Amino acid sequence: MLTWLLVGLAAHEGTPIKAFEIVGTALDPAAQVTKTVLTVKVLLTPLSREEVKVVRCLGLNYSDHAEEAHLPKPDFPILFFKPVTSLIGPLAPVIIPKVAQPVNEHLPDYEVELVIVIGKAAKNVSEADALDYVLAYTGANDVSFRKHQMAVSQWGFSKGFDNTNPFGPCLVSSHLIPDPQHVPLKAVVNGALLQDGITSYVLDIQITL
């Protein structure tokens, strides 16, 4: 019998993870959950790079993060993109490229993020209807290299290196999170709790969408 499991914690602690096999993709409403039980060997990203296609990010979306960086709350969204090659599993090691070494000069930094997975095409959507387009939520570590980030106005380079963006561990249906403005977020780096907050500190999610 399968029971509910905190997938990320189980993987971190080495607890066996069993799941029903799904035929199809999480993005396809026609996907079928079979009765075949599989044991997870390695916890990968909850969506493959081919499924993700576009990673659109919002800078300074946490009010306390803007204060920490001594930057004013932006009047307009600070948008940047990450290449899908930056995405790795939630427990995979972050690979620091040569161009961002030595680390004491390039200042790699962690940022826990709420990830919103859009499930259908959207354009000119009203704030009131925005959450209807959300398929699921998950987490990520928006690893940034501050030297490159602060040197230019575009953040894509400093936040888009290959294999630097842990993503997951699983998708949580939007039906299970009716209010995404009250989701706890934590960042644990090398076993140390470095961030512990809640999405109420995030700029209004419906407006952002």
Side-chain angles (χ1 to χ4, degrees):
M1 178 179 178
L2 295 183
T3 58
W4 290 104
L5 189 69
L6 294 175
V7 176
L9 181 61
H12 177 70
E13 295 178 344
T15 303
I17 301 172
K18 295 183 180 293
F20 290 111
E21 182 181 18
I22 297 176
V23 177
T25 167
L27 300 177
D28 183 3
Q32 298 293 315
V33 179
T34 71
K35 294 183 178 180
T36 303
V37 177
L38 302 176
T39 299
V40 175
K41 182 178 180 180
V42 178
L43 198 59
L44 304 176
T45 55
L47 292 172
S48 69
R49 292 174 175 177
E50 291 74 21
E51 291 172 318
V52 172
K53 293 184 175 63
V54 176
V55 183
R56 181 176 294 182
C57 306
L58 181 66
L60 295 179
N61 53 340
Y62 291 83
S63 56
D64 56 344
H65 180 48
E67 293 173 3
E68 178 187 33
H70 304 294
L71 295 172
K73 179 180 175 180
D75 293 326
F76 299 94
I78 298 176
L79 294 175
F80 61 96
F81 292 83
K82 283 179 178 284
V84 294
T85 52
S86 69
L87 302 179
I88 53 177
L91 299 178
V94 172
I95 306 300
I96 299 178
K98 289 183 178 180
V99 71
Q101 297 181 29
V103 294
N104 61 346
E105 176 185 340
H106 290 269
L107 306 175
D109 205 359
Y110 50 86
E111 292 181 35
V112 63
E113 300 288 356
L114 176 71
V115 177
I116 302 171
V117 180
I118 304 299
K120 54 187 177 181
K123 186 175 182 180
N124 298 326
V125 176
S126 69
E127 178 185 340
D129 296 332
L131 295 183
D132 295 339
Y133 290 79
V134 176
L135 173 71
Y137 301 94
T138 188
N141 182 358
D142 176 26
V143 174
S144 307
F145 296 86
R146 299 302 187 199
K147 178 181 178 179
H148 288 298
Q149 181 184 1
M150 298 307 174
V152 296
S153 61
Q154 300 295 323
W155 294 357
F157 181 68
S158 62
K159 291 172 172 280
F161 293 117
D162 291 352
N163 305 310
T164 55
N165 194 158
F167 165 48
C170 58
L171 300 182
V172 179
S173 171
S174 58
H175 297 297
L176 299 176
I177 304 179
D179 184 2
Q181 212 72 55
H182 290 85
V183 177
L185 293 174
K186 296 182 179 181
V188 178
V189 181
N190 296 332
L193 178 63
L194 299 180
Q195 287 180 289
D196 187 0
I198 191 168
T199 51
S200 60
Y201 293 109
V202 180
L203 301 180
D204 190 287
I205 291 174
Q206 285 180 265
I207 293 177
T208 297
L209 289 174

mmCIF file of all heavy atoms in Angstrom, residues 1-7 18-20:
data_model
loop_
_atom_site.group_PDB
_atom_site.id
_atom_site.type_symbol
_atom_site.label_atom_id
_atom_site.label_comp_id
_atom_site.label_asym_id
_atom_site.label_seq_id
_atom_site.Cartn_x
_atom_site.Cartn_y
_atom_site.Cartn_z
ATOM 1 N N MET A 1 0.850 -1.194 0.000
ATOM 2 C CA MET A 1 0.000 0.000 0.000
ATOM 3 C C MET A 1 0.888 1.248 0.000
ATOM 4 O O MET A 1 1.838 1.348 0.785
ATOM 5 C CB MET A 1 -0.904 0.006 1.242
ATOM 6 C CG MET A 1 -1.785 1.234 1.351
ATOM 7 S SD MET A 1 -2.856 1.169 2.818
ATOM 8 C CE MET A 1 -3.683 2.740 2.658
ATOM 9 N N LEU A 2 0.601 2.192 -0.861
ATOM 10 C CA LEU A 2 1.363 3.432 -0.922
ATOM 11 C C LEU A 2 0.770 4.450 0.042
ATOM 12 O O LEU A 2 -0.446 4.534 0.221
ATOM 13 C CB LEU A 2 1.366 3.999 -2.338
ATOM 14 C CG LEU A 2 2.072 3.165 -3.416
ATOM 15 C CD1 LEU A 2 2.056 3.907 -4.733
ATOM 16 C CD2 LEU A 2 3.476 2.804 -3.016
ATOM 17 N N THR A 3 1.621 5.218 0.665
ATOM 18 C CA THR A 3 1.186 6.260 1.589
ATOM 19 C C THR A 3 1.768 7.593 1.148
ATOM 20 O O THR A 3 2.719 7.654 0.369
ATOM 21 C CB THR A 3 1.640 5.951 3.028
ATOM 22 O OG1 THR A 3 3.073 5.826 3.049
ATOM 23 C CG2 THR A 3 1.024 4.654 3.524
ATOM 24 N N TRP A 4 1.188 8.688 1.668
ATOM 25 C CA TRP A 4 1.705 10.019 1.352
ATOM 26 C C TRP A 4 3.106 10.171 1.918
ATOM 27 O O TRP A 4 3.409 9.688 3.001
ATOM 28 C CB TRP A 4 0.781 11.087 1.932
ATOM 29 C CG TRP A 4 -0.537 11.172 1.236
ATOM 30 C CD1 TRP A 4 -1.738 10.707 1.690
ATOM 31 C CD2 TRP A 4 -0.800 11.717 -0.057
ATOM 32 N NE1 TRP A 4 -2.729 10.937 0.770
ATOM 33 C CE2 TRP A 4 -2.183 11.567 -0.312
ATOM 34 C CE3 TRP A 4 -0.004 12.334 -1.016
ATOM 35 C CZ2 TRP A 4 -2.776 11.995 -1.489
ATOM 36 C CZ3 TRP A 4 -0.597 12.766 -2.189
ATOM 37 C CH2 TRP A 4 -1.966 12.601 -2.414
ATOM 38 N N LEU A 5 3.963 10.851 1.199
ATOM 39 C CA LEU A 5 5.360 10.980 1.583
ATOM 40 C C LEU A 5 5.855 12.373 1.231
ATOM 41 O O LEU A 5 5.510 12.915 0.182
ATOM 42 C CB LEU A 5 6.188 9.931 0.831
ATOM 43 C CG LEU A 5 7.650 9.733 1.226
ATOM 44 C CD1 LEU A 5 7.736 9.098 2.620
ATOM 45 C CD2 LEU A 5 8.337 8.819 0.212
ATOM 46 N N LEU A 6 6.646 12.963 2.135
ATOM 47 C CA LEU A 6 7.320 14.217 1.811
ATOM 48 C C LEU A 6 8.512 13.856 0.926
ATOM 49 O O LEU A 6 9.564 13.445 1.407
ATOM 50 C CB LEU A 6 7.762 14.927 3.093
ATOM 51 C CG LEU A 6 6.632 15.427 4.003
ATOM 52 C CD1 LEU A 6 7.205 15.992 5.296
ATOM 53 C CD2 LEU A 6 5.809 16.494 3.288
ATOM 54 N N VAL A 7 8.325 13.995 -0.369
ATOM 55 C CA VAL A 7 9.259 13.438 -1.337
ATOM 56 C C VAL A 7 10.667 14.007 -1.178
ATOM 57 O O VAL A 7 11.650 13.269 -1.146
ATOM 58 C CB VAL A 7 8.744 13.677 -2.775
ATOM 59 C CG1 VAL A 7 9.766 13.194 -3.796
ATOM 60 C CG2 VAL A 7 7.419 12.967 -2.972
ATOM 61 N N LYS A 18 8.444 5.209 -3.420
ATOM 62 C CA LYS A 18 7.696 4.404 -4.383
ATOM 63 C C LYS A 18 6.548 5.241 -4.935
ATOM 64 O O LYS A 18 5.968 6.056 -4.233
ATOM 65 C CB LYS A 18 7.167 3.127 -3.739
ATOM 66 C CG LYS A 18 8.266 2.165 -3.278
ATOM 67 C CD LYS A 18 7.687 0.901 -2.707
ATOM 68 C CE LYS A 18 8.788 -0.052 -2.254
ATOM 69 N NZ LYS A 18 9.574 -0.568 -3.395
ATOM 70 N N ALA A 19 6.242 5.023 -6.190
ATOM 71 C CA ALA A 19 5.189 5.809 -6.833
ATOM 72 C C ALA A 19 4.544 5.003 -7.939
ATOM 73 O O ALA A 19 5.161 4.085 -8.503
ATOM 74 C CB ALA A 19 5.769 7.106 -7.403
ATOM 75 N N PHE A 20 3.286 5.335 -8.241
ATOM 76 C CA PHE A 20 2.620 4.716 -9.378
ATOM 77 C C PHE A 20 3.188 5.294 -10.673
ATOM 78 O O PHE A 20 3.433 6.494 -10.780
ATOM 79 C CB PHE A 20 1.114 4.982 -9.323
ATOM 80 C CG PHE A 20 0.401 4.256 -8.214
ATOM 81 C CD1 PHE A 20 -0.134 4.954 -7.144
ATOM 82 C CD2 PHE A 20 0.277 2.873 -8.239
ATOM 83 C CE1 PHE A 20 -0.789 4.290 -6.121
ATOM 84 C CE2 PHE A 20 -0.373 2.201 -7.219
ATOM 85 C CZ PHE A 20 -0.915 2.907 -6.156
#
